[in-house]
Amino acid sequence: MDFIKDLNIDKVRNLAEDAFNQVKPKNDVEVRVYEVLSHKNWGASTTLMNEIATDTFDYERFLIVTKLMWEAIETPRPAAWRVVFKGLSLLEHLIKNGSERCVDDARNHSNLLRNMDKFNYYEGTVDRGLGVREKSKQVVEILQDDERIREERQKAKSLREKFAGRSVTASSG
């Protein structure tokens, strides 16, 4: 009965949107991106995020990934704050792990990202917009510092190589 009591129009709409997005995808790239950008209460796996980052090295896949990601970030419904946050998290991951195009694309949207500091959504007394505001601020700070981008991309590359080496060792032993 608590489920019915806690049900509101925003939650119903979020559930419907997730259901629609599960049916909607047409190719493997869209399936992965929609999974990352769901309304679910948990984040996406690093493996899934890395697969999407790899997709950005192919121009056609890059266009699909960024189109869906920016649609999520620009959603006009504050109640979809979780999707906006996940879109920003995906963007941050792509800046660090994706193709150089991701950095350029993010910079082209920097005005939108800076305006995210006005994002507000409250569930009762809980400020759900805080995470979105903080994440957008972090992304903007990264984008303004070329040296930091280089360091973050190098760190991410080292981690990928380190874990790729471990998985090869583990599967061959």
Side-chain angles (χ1 to χ4, degrees):
M1 228 32 191
D2 286 339
F3 174 75
I4 303 270
K5 187 173 77 176
D6 291 339
L7 204 57
N8 64 37
I9 191 70
D10 290 329
K11 287 183 181 179
V12 171
R13 206 165 172 185
N14 290 348
L15 289 170
E17 199 172 286
D18 273 349
F20 180 73
N21 288 342
Q22 291 299 315
V23 176
K24 184 175 159 182
K26 293 177 178 53
N27 61 44
D28 59 331
V29 177
E30 291 175 339
V31 169
R32 284 193 289 273
V33 174
Y34 280 125
E35 186 172 335
V36 167
L37 300 174
S38 73
H39 288 279
K40 293 176 182 153
N41 199 17
W42 55 83
S45 71
T46 304
T47 304
L48 186 58
M49 299 278 266
N50 285 337
E51 288 174 11
I52 294 172
T54 301
D55 287 336
T56 64
F57 289 92
D58 176 273
Y59 187 68
E60 287 180 19
R61 289 173 176 244
F62 165 81
L63 293 175
I64 294 167
V65 168
T66 55
K67 176 184 176 283
L68 297 175
M69 179 187 67
W70 289 115
E71 283 175 4
I73 292 171
E74 295 180 56
T75 188
R77 289 187 325 109
W81 62 271
R82 190 173 281 129
V83 173
V84 177
F85 181 83
K86 288 180 176 186
L88 290 167
S89 297
L90 176 60
L91 175 61
E92 182 180 32
H93 189 83
L94 295 180
I95 289 168
K96 295 175 183 179
N97 296 276
S99 72
E100 287 286 336
R101 275 188 219 110
C102 297
V103 176
D104 296 336
D105 189 49
R107 285 184 169 151
N108 290 339
H109 288 85
S110 61
N111 194 38
L112 166 71
L113 295 169
R114 276 193 296 279
N115 285 329
M116 298 297 287
D117 70 344
K118 298 172 182 76
F119 188 92
N120 271 314
Y121 183 71
Y122 285 85
E123 280 182 355
T125 59
V126 180
D127 182 5
R128 297 295 187 187
L130 180 63
V132 170
R133 293 190 301 273
E134 288 179 356
K135 182 60 80 174
S136 65
K137 181 181 173 193
Q138 291 168 3
V139 171
V140 168
E141 287 173 358
I142 290 171
L143 290 173
Q144 291 173 340
D145 186 347
D146 289 338
E147 185 59 34
R148 183 165 172 204
I149 290 174
R150 250 189 308 282
E151 288 171 6
E152 294 286 354
R153 291 178 67 81
Q154 186 57 45
K155 218 184 311 181
K157 182 179 178 186
S158 297
L159 276 173
R160 279 194 312 273
E161 289 170 352
K162 178 180 174 181
F163 289 114
R166 279 192 180 165
S167 64
V168 169
T169 307
S171 63
S172 63

